Amino acid sequence: MRNDTRHVHPPAAAPAEFESLVPPVHHVSTVIFDGVEAFERRHDRLYDGYSYGLYGTPTTRGLEDQIAFLEGASRALVTPSGQSAIVLACLACAAQGDHILMPESMYGPARAAANRLLHPLGITTIFYDPMIGGGIARMLDPKTRLVWVESPGSATFEVQDVPAIAAAAHAAGALVAADNTWATPILFSPLAHGADISVQSLSKYASGHSDLIMGSAAVRDEALFRRLKDASRQLGLGVGADDAFLCARGLKTLPLRLRHSGRSALDIVDRLLDRPEVLRILHPARPDHPGHDVWQRDFSGAAGVFSVVIRRVDAGTLDRAFKALRLFKIGASWGGAHSLVAPSDPRNGRTDLSWLPDGQLIRLSIGLEDVADLAADLDRFFAEISAAT
């Protein structure tokens, strides 16, 4: 071989005995075949084999198998983000003229996609009170194809009666999809409580280090998995090998991280109860929280993300309070090693939040720092609020 060819075709690696606790990372776009017939039948490998890097590699399939195992599912599919997993489920389950139901407390970008993407495609989304429970039956009709649940809900953290909602949906012939990012399968199993699809934003607790964007959808039904996979292929959704490797690595420490942040969050809640600046704490473990009884029945614990409603102050005071924080960082995501804080306006798009005090909602994500240091940091925040009120 001449010099240019030698650079492209190195010697074949000799087989060797080698074992490792860490799976290899496969960087692949092109998959090669040993003959014309195999190449022409490559699309037969879409669901279980390898035909092209976009549709799966040993690295991404390994992560999918791991997620399916943790979810109590038969199959799982990874996507470029949690949002893409939500949109994928909608497009795989509904078509022009169909209806989808979403709770008003659902993830904001998912609601925006319903209005700006699904609606122009002729798919109608109807938003419902997250505390409706089995009463959702009166909202279902023959055109309803998919019912979403998110429990606890974004920002306000209402806990939904997923088994009751799933029973009503299935009786009407509709599928149920759950955004389970807050709880992860460790604290709540949507598939075991009646959901057909369990979606996570793996960017958050699953990966756990705020360094990748990814989502997943897990199912027990093979036909439903193939619907999702077919839609994913047409949309061109794929995940890179390095991100898949990092996510699989993060899953190994998820139980430890989730326990730590959950305990720390409850400690912070206890410290905030008597603060005069705090009007209400929105955490499923609180007895006065919407759906607390359902949380006790269905969940095995609490995660480290919750909200507080504080007395209203002017914009300048609120900005100074946030700038007084040294450990909490202002950020839109959560579930990583660093504690995060973000202001939110949950009343936008909601029909009835009469149970919520009139104040400024602040969402907290408790990370892996020492809880005493985090409490001291929040003291700095509330000192600014107190000085103004």
Side-chain angles (χ1 to χ4, degrees):
M1 286 189 294
R2 292 172 173 80
N3 191 49
D4 289 359
T5 305
R6 287 200 300 267
H7 280 80
V8 178
H9 296 269
E17 292 185 3
F18 179 81
E19 293 185 51
S20 172
L21 293 173
V22 181
V25 180
H26 296 266
H27 295 96
V28 178
S29 61
T30 300
V31 175
I32 58 175
F33 302 85
D34 59 6
V36 172
E37 182 182 1
F39 176 76
E40 291 180 342
R41 298 187 60 183
R42 65 192 182 279
H43 298 308
D44 295 344
R45 304 181 179 188
L46 178 65
Y47 307 111
D48 295 298
Y50 305 104
S51 60
Y52 187 64
L54 180 66
Y55 309 137
T57 68
T59 305
T60 58
R61 290 281 168 80
L63 175 60
E64 289 172 341
D65 290 345
Q66 187 177 6
I67 291 170
F69 179 66
L70 296 175
E71 292 267 19
S74 63
R75 304 293 291 263
L77 181 69
V78 292
T79 66
S81 66
Q83 171 76 346
S84 66
I86 292 171
V87 172
L88 173 65
C90 291
L91 294 177
C93 295
Q96 185 177 19
D98 291 338
H99 295 172
I100 292 176
L101 271 59
M102 285 186 178
E104 289 187 346
S105 56
M106 194 165 177
Y107 179 54
R111 297 187 54 182
N115 293 323
R116 300 174 187 174
L117 174 64
L118 300 182
H119 179 70
L121 295 176
I123 301 172
T124 300
T125 303
I126 302 167
F127 297 98
Y128 68 90
D129 179 353
M131 303 309 296
I132 198 171
I136 201 170
R138 62 180 176 267
M139 301 184 68
L140 302 167
D141 62 37
K143 294 183 178 180
T144 306
R145 295 289 178 265
L146 185 64
V147 177
W148 277 97
V149 293
E150 183 177 340
S151 183
S154 290
T156 45
F157 297 95
E158 296 97 324
V159 181
Q160 296 190 261
D161 192 338
V162 175
I165 293 172
H170 291 156
L175 295 173
V176 176
D179 184 339
N180 195 42
T181 305
W182 184 90
T184 81
I186 292 175
L187 303 180
F188 178 70
S189 173
L191 299 182
H193 287 81
D196 302 287
I197 306 172
S198 178
V199 166
Q200 291 186 72
S201 170
L202 302 177
S203 317
K204 298 178 173 65
Y205 274 127
S207 59
H209 294 81
S210 307
D211 54 7
L212 63 88
I213 304 293
M214 197 182 301
S216 66
V219 300
R220 287 178 168 173
D221 181 72
E222 178 67 19
L224 181 55
F225 168 76
R226 293 189 175 215
R227 286 166 63 183
L228 291 168
K229 185 68 175 179
D230 288 342
S232 174
R233 177 189 174 191
Q234 299 305 321
L235 291 168
L237 302 182
V239 169
D242 290 317
D243 282 350
F245 172 82
L246 288 175
C247 186
R249 185 172 69 175
L251 286 172
K252 292 179 173 62
T253 60
L254 174 57
L256 302 175
R257 293 184 284 103
L258 195 58
R259 280 198 294 271
H260 180 91
S261 61
R263 285 195 301 262
S264 296
L266 290 174
D267 190 322
I268 294 293
V269 166
D270 288 340
R271 295 169 187 252
L272 296 179
L273 288 175
D274 296 327
R275 294 209 71 108
E277 306 89 357
V278 175
L279 303 178
R280 184 160 184 172
I281 296 174
L282 308 181
H283 190 297
R286 295 288 305 148
D288 62 346
H289 190 74
H292 171 73
D293 291 343
V294 173
W295 175 77
Q296 286 188 307
R297 182 193 72 191
D298 293 345
F299 287 69
S300 63
V305 186
F306 66 99
S307 293
V308 296
V309 181
I310 65 172
R311 298 186 185 279
R312 287 201 180 276
V313 292
D314 61 78
T317 298
L318 189 64
D319 186 59
R320 286 194 299 274
F322 276 111
K323 289 179 177 177
L325 293 167
R326 299 174 186 172
L327 299 178
F328 281 90
K329 305 301 180 183
I330 304 173
S333 190
W334 44 268
H338 297 79
S339 292
L340 298 176
V341 59
S344 178
D345 181 9
R347 299 183 188 278
N348 185 24
R350 299 290 297 269
T351 57
D352 182 17
L353 276 178
S354 57
W355 60 273
L356 196 66
D358 182 20
Q360 172 65 58
L361 187 142
I362 306 294
R363 189 182 69 186
L364 301 171
S365 172
I366 306 303
L368 303 184
E369 303 94 340
D370 187 283
V371 69
D373 291 331
L374 294 177
D377 206 32
L378 289 174
D379 284 343
R380 287 186 279 270
F381 175 89
F382 283 109
E384 295 291 339
I385 302 295
S386 179
T389 57

